[in-house]
Amino acid sequence: MIHNLTIDEELLESVAAGKNCHLARNPELTRILEEGFGRTNLCLKIFEKPIWSGVLLDEATKVQNVFSWYGLAPRVYAIATIGDRVAQVEDYVEGTGPKRVRKAQDIAKRYHLAVKDGEIDKQLAESHRWINGKIVDFGRFYFASPKWYEKKLREHLYRYHKKPHKESVGYHPCPELGVSGRREIESRVERMGWGDFTGKTVLDIGCNSGAFCWEAAKRGAKRVIGVDHKFAGGNRQLANWLGYWNIDFLELTLPGEWRKIMEMGIDEFDVVICLSIVGHAGGYNFWIPKLCKDLIYFSGQGKEPRDKYQRFLDRDFKKVEWLGYVTDNGKHPLWRCWKDVEKVLLDAEKDD
């Protein structure tokens, strides 16, 4: 995804420079980035062209994020345009630390990575690429076998109820990879009345492969977190490949580990998505509305009656809107609810 940023030129002065880019970081710029992306310790890596040493910045970013999962690179959260330039919004790295060259080489082999006009093992060993134990220069890095990698991602999508599935269909669709799904994401989003999520924090409880997380990101959400009980690693790879870089995926067992969601730095989310998962998460309980600051989209399990949840939603939310039943992959009761923060916190303290 490409973000358009309007930032004063004086805030873009270089604090470090490479052959194809320079790094910008100062207190005011950091504040702007933190507000826009919901994270701390950010900087801008600015390029004059959307190409990094012969590789499109989009692909080099995907490679960099692969290494970031193993603590070997600063993570990139967005590619942005600033006037006629492009930039990565990424973690800021400084200081000294050991090079973990062998680990980096193993990762390159695992994901079939390469560099233009060179040997990747030698490139990864070059000292100038490392700062504080992290690789910061991914110019010329690319996926040597994209078709192989996309096949692996499709296999991840084909899992249904956490089991390998023989049919070429996923629980969630992914048109970018030619995968259809049992859930009709577009019709669901339309039924829920989704609008502009710009500047919102979004939590998807029971995100499965993450399609609603992607949709929230497309609608401008500044920070998205998806939770499911397995396969966070596959979801992370999929979102990275599709360019949804500012989404975090947590692998948690609910309800027991629900408090770990708040360890991500957000106690209450502007928008919570909780669709057809309460049967797998200990039922409807206080922690679901407690994580919601403003708005929740909630649906029950298949074939459950409306009255099973209506009184609880009326108790925990100021405004409760019944949206009827959705019928893709079963029949599910659906609501959209707005929050009375003070009331639900009092109820949560009594229940906790």
Side-chain angles (χ1 to χ4, degrees):
M1 294 181 63
I2 304 297
H3 296 253
N4 298 314
L5 300 180
T6 301
I7 299 176
D8 292 341
E9 189 68 28
E10 62 188 35
L11 299 180
L12 303 179
E13 292 184 3
S14 174
V15 295
K19 183 178 179 180
N20 302 104
C21 60
H22 76 268
L23 205 67
R25 188 174 189 267
N26 54 71
E28 179 59 17
L29 177 59
T30 299
R31 184 195 66 78
I32 292 171
L33 295 177
E34 289 180 357
E35 185 175 319
F37 294 92
R39 299 179 183 273
T40 59
N41 194 43
L42 299 178
C43 65
L44 283 178
K45 183 177 284 186
I46 302 172
F47 303 79
E48 296 300 323
K49 298 178 181 180
I51 296 177
W52 194 354
S53 299
V55 173
L56 289 175
L57 187 57
D58 177 80
E59 182 159 16
T61 294
K62 294 174 184 178
V63 173
Q64 179 169 337
N65 279 340
V66 168
F67 284 92
S68 78
W69 302 333
Y70 301 90
L72 292 177
R75 180 176 166 186
V76 180
Y77 301 103
I79 291 178
T81 59
I82 308 170
D84 58 356
R85 291 166 293 185
V86 294
Q88 291 174 321
V89 179
E90 67 176 39
D91 292 324
Y92 178 67
V93 177
E94 61 180 350
T96 59
K99 296 190 302 180
R100 290 175 286 170
V101 175
R102 181 62 62 84
K103 178 66 173 178
Q105 292 170 343
D106 289 344
I107 292 169
K109 183 179 296 184
R110 182 183 308 175
Y111 290 91
H112 297 195
L113 304 177
V115 294
K116 294 283 188 181
D117 306 317
E119 297 180 28
I120 192 166
D121 283 354
K122 291 183 178 180
Q123 299 279 332
L124 289 170
E126 293 177 341
S127 295
H128 76 271
R129 295 186 184 273
W130 293 82
I131 295 179
N132 196 13
K134 297 182 187 293
I135 306 166
V136 296
D137 182 356
F138 286 90
R140 300 196 292 167
F141 284 64
Y142 68 101
F143 288 83
S145 304
K147 291 184 179 180
W148 166 84
Y149 193 54
E150 288 187 341
K151 180 182 177 182
K152 301 295 286 185
L153 295 176
R154 279 192 288 269
E155 290 173 356
H156 171 70
L157 282 162
Y158 293 152
R159 293 183 181 276
Y160 181 52
H161 288 314
K162 313 309 178 191
K163 298 178 182 178
H165 195 69
K166 294 181 180 180
E167 297 178 33
S168 298
V169 60
Y171 186 70
H172 286 165
C174 182
E176 295 91 338
L177 293 176
V179 176
S180 59
R182 290 171 173 77
R183 286 288 190 211
E184 297 174 0
I185 303 300
E186 291 185 4
S187 64
R188 279 249 176 163
V189 166
E190 183 178 356
R191 185 68 173 273
M192 289 186 285
W194 281 25
D196 183 7
F197 284 178
T198 298
K200 303 292 187 182
T201 56
V202 178
L203 171 67
D204 186 354
I205 305 171
C207 66
N208 203 278
S209 55
F212 287 109
C213 295
W214 313 336
E215 187 65 31
K218 285 192 289 187
R219 292 170 180 267
K222 72 176 181 180
R223 181 89 184 271
V224 182
I225 296 176
V227 178
D228 213 307
H229 80 285
K230 280 190 177 181
F231 303 116
N235 289 350
R236 189 181 301 119
Q237 292 190 50
L238 184 58
N240 181 54
W241 189 255
L242 299 176
Y244 301 116
W245 294 310
N246 199 23
I247 301 176
D248 295 298
F249 291 99
L250 301 181
E251 199 167 289
L252 302 177
T253 300
L254 300 174
E257 296 183 305
W258 75 268
R259 288 179 177 83
K260 291 185 178 181
I261 297 171
M262 296 187 291
E263 294 177 7
M264 300 298 290
I266 305 173
D267 291 338
E268 296 175 318
F269 293 80
D270 297 309
V271 179
V272 171
I273 306 160
C274 185
L275 305 178
S276 307
I277 64 92
V278 289
H280 311 293
Y284 182 90
N285 212 326
F286 75 94
W287 61 272
I288 295 175
K290 186 170 185 176
L291 289 168
C292 177
K293 181 179 180 181
D294 182 30
L295 176 64
I296 188 171
Y297 299 95
F298 177 85
S299 73
Q301 302 294 131
K303 299 181 180 180
E304 288 184 330
R306 172 183 176 180
D307 58 10
K308 181 171 182 176
Y309 299 105
Q310 187 71 53
R311 64 188 179 93
F312 299 113
L313 297 173
D314 288 337
R315 178 196 67 188
D316 292 337
F317 293 89
K318 184 175 182 180
K319 180 180 178 182
V320 177
E321 181 181 6
W322 165 246
L323 299 177
Y325 288 93
V326 289
T327 56
D328 62 319
N329 201 51
K331 184 178 180 181
H332 305 260
L334 178 66
W335 293 264
R336 176 171 54 181
C337 311
W338 288 263
K339 186 74 171 292
D340 181 335
V341 177
E342 294 182 356
K343 176 179 179 299
V344 79
L345 287 180
L346 289 173
D347 290 343
E349 289 176 359
K350 294 176 183 178
D351 294 336
D352 197 357

